[in-house]
Amino acid sequence: MKKIILDKYQKKVIKNKSKNLLVIAGAGSGKTLTIIYKIKHLVNKGVNPNEILCITFTKAAANSLQTKLLKENIMLKVKTFHSLGYEIIKKNKYVQLVKNNALDDIIMNYLNKYHDLNTLINANFIEFGKGDSTIIKTSILKNTSYITYLKDTIKTFINLFKSNNYNLSSFNHFFNQNKKENSKRKEYRHKKFLNLVKKIYINYQEYLETYNQIDFNDMINQATDIIYKEGIYPYKYIIIDEYQDTSLSKCLLIKAIQNKTKASLIAVGDDWQSIYHFTGSNIEIFTNFKKYFPKAKIIKLKKTYRNSTQLVKVTKKFITKNPNQISKTISSNKRSKNPIHIYYYRNLIKEWNNITKQINTQTLILGRNNNDINNLFLNKYMNYMTIHKSKGLQAQNVIIINLENKVTGIPSKIQNSEYLMYVSSKEDEYMYSEERRLFYVALTRTENTVTLLVNKDNPSIFVSELLKDSSKYIKIINP
């Protein structure tokens, strides 16, 4: 069995005794290994595994970490935020999880009988043409009827509203903000929207209450309320993985648990890889950790065991153009003269067979959207997923598709609805900042090379930027 050798930064985390600790763990820095050995260290020191609350964001990640702990003979149930919340609520009252389409149905019911839709439809939405200079104003987004788009906007508004811990009285603040910040015409339209969404929100909450149901946001918010009233199991340690994806409501849940138990907190993540803003995550909770958890210690894992030195240089230059990020130095013992390959094409479907000759089972194909791969007639043996789903994974080689300068390319230029200004966090307004982090995640999944499939006639602005800044590390395969 291969002996595990921890580096000095990982050892520092394991031995640290701070009440609040933020571990900044870059791509491939051995984050999971560090968490496992931190838990192992605590158990060896006499802490009962039941006294450790270990949380991650997805069921798959929780199961994976739990399996790895089991191999170290540590019986510890790893929870997601939602499974933890549900568990706390179910101990106190009978509830069921609401059906996925309940909110959609309530919204559509309102929209179908709403007589003033034209006021909302007249909003100008932006669709970009081939180049950034070509802007076409349209009331219908590409491939989406406006009514469906409006329904999705209202649904997103309500989900962000709840994940940011707003309540009914928050609408008064929104109406004031609208009056203060918007022109008369825009104010009129926004007032109509806010009144509509307020009615739908009230109706939705009444529906949940009537049928004893909760949604994913309620799992967090109601659990927090219960902890303050009833208390919680006396945990001594709280360990959170992927902390960069935390929303305000999840942060408040952790604060409630810590308030009741006086547990030490170890939060692990990487602000460069925060890619869930659209679900309510707020990068400021990570970058301003000490504001939420005072007197915190910060330790950075400074070695990557996945990416080459050259790829680290390219990706660091790329990601640090985002202003609201924590600076960090990452080193590697791996070398690769040209870690990035660019394959230019003019007709991807015709040229796909040539490309697939270099694809094997160790190659991960990544795209921006679920349907990016549809036109390529991929067979089921090929390993495709969206960049969001690839978070936390790695492969020997990576291919990234959909690198075109278009609305649904990388970066995606689909604009958030103007109505979401009230419930979206404001700290992250730099152009394409989240898309930049998403592309960074894609680039850093590889252990060897990452191949960018690029439309010769319409390359992504991110590809043009890489070529301008780091051409000496990039190999052009098909000029």
Side-chain angles (χ1 to χ4, degrees), residues 8 11 58 105 130 223 313 351 357 379 385 388:
K8 63 180 179 180
K11 284 176 184 170
T58 66
D105 291 345
K130 272 194 173 182
K313 280 182 184 174
E351 295 174 56
K357 285 172 188 171
N379 66 53
M385 63 177 67
H388 280 100

Side-chain angles (χ1 to χ4, degrees), residues 27 40 47 64 150 170 172 192 256 305 372 384 393 435 448:
K40 200 173 175 181
V47 178
S64 172
L150 187 58
S170 302
N172 296 330
K192 292 276 183 190
Y305 298 90
D372 280 354
Y384 173 76
L393 301 178
E435 291 294 309
N448 297 309

Side-chain angles (χ1 to χ4, degrees), residues 191-318:
K191 191 177 178 182
K192 292 276 183 190
F193 176 83
L194 288 169
N195 275 318
L196 174 65
V197 83
K198 184 181 178 182
K199 284 175 189 167
I200 293 170
Y201 169 74
I202 290 168
N203 190 265
Y204 177 55
Q205 291 304 111
E206 285 172 353
Y207 172 89
L208 293 172
E209 218 168 288
T210 303
Y211 294 101
N212 276 330
Q213 293 181 350
I214 58 172
D215 61 21
F216 283 111
N217 288 302
D218 294 324
M219 283 183 191
I220 309 300
N221 297 335
Q222 291 186 24
T224 304
D225 293 339
I226 289 167
I227 289 165
Y228 275 117
K229 287 174 194 163
E230 312 289 337
I232 190 172
Y233 185 85
Y235 293 109
K236 287 183 179 172
Y237 292 89
I238 304 164
I239 298 174
I240 308 172
D241 189 15
E242 303 287 8
Y243 186 73
Q244 76 278 347
D245 295 322
T246 305
S247 64
L248 180 62
S249 58
K250 287 169 185 161
C251 178
L252 294 174
L253 174 64
I254 295 306
K255 284 182 78 67
I257 296 170
Q258 195 181 47
N259 184 276
K260 284 287 181 179
T261 62
K262 311 302 176 202
S264 295
L265 170 66
I266 301 114
V268 186
D270 180 15
D271 54 312
W272 291 3
Q273 298 181 72
S274 177
I275 56 173
Y276 285 98
H277 184 253
F278 64 96
T279 65
S281 79
N282 185 341
I283 196 173
E284 193 260 346
I285 291 167
F286 189 99
T287 56
N288 208 351
F289 186 75
K290 289 181 181 179
K291 173 182 151 187
Y292 297 92
F293 299 98
K295 296 178 183 172
K297 170 85 175 165
I298 296 174
I299 297 175
K300 300 175 185 178
L301 300 184
K302 295 183 181 180
K303 286 194 80 170
T304 178
Y305 298 90
R306 182 191 305 158
N307 306 145
S308 64
T309 299
Q310 289 76 10
L311 188 62
V312 168
K313 280 182 184 174
V314 176
T315 54
K316 183 179 178 180
K317 196 166 195 175
F318 178 79

Side-chain angles (χ1 to χ4, degrees), residues 28 304-311 332-336 339 362-364 392-399 441-450:
T304 178
Y305 298 90
R306 182 191 305 158
N307 306 145
S308 64
T309 299
Q310 289 76 10
L311 188 62
S332 171
N333 292 333
K334 293 175 86 169
R335 300 286 179 271
S336 173
Q362 307 302 319
T363 299
L364 181 62
L393 301 178
Q394 62 186 49
Q396 282 187 16
N397 297 291
V398 168
I399 290 175
V441 167
L443 291 171
T444 55
R445 295 311 91 201
T446 186
E447 295 169 19
N448 297 309
T449 61
V450 55

Side-chain angles (χ1 to χ4, degrees), residues 160-197:
L160 288 173
F161 181 91
K162 294 179 79 167
S163 76
N164 281 301
N165 212 39
Y166 290 119
N167 55 42
L168 202 51
S169 66
S170 302
F171 278 98
N172 296 330
H173 171 70
F174 298 157
F175 284 120
N176 288 333
Q177 186 185 344
N178 177 31
K179 209 168 185 178
K180 206 164 131 186
E181 295 180 15
N182 291 328
S183 65
K184 281 287 175 198
R185 186 182 290 181
K186 200 171 177 182
E187 184 201 335
Y188 176 76
R189 189 173 70 244
H190 277 230
K191 191 177 178 182
K192 292 276 183 190
F193 176 83
L194 288 169
N195 275 318
L196 174 65
V197 83

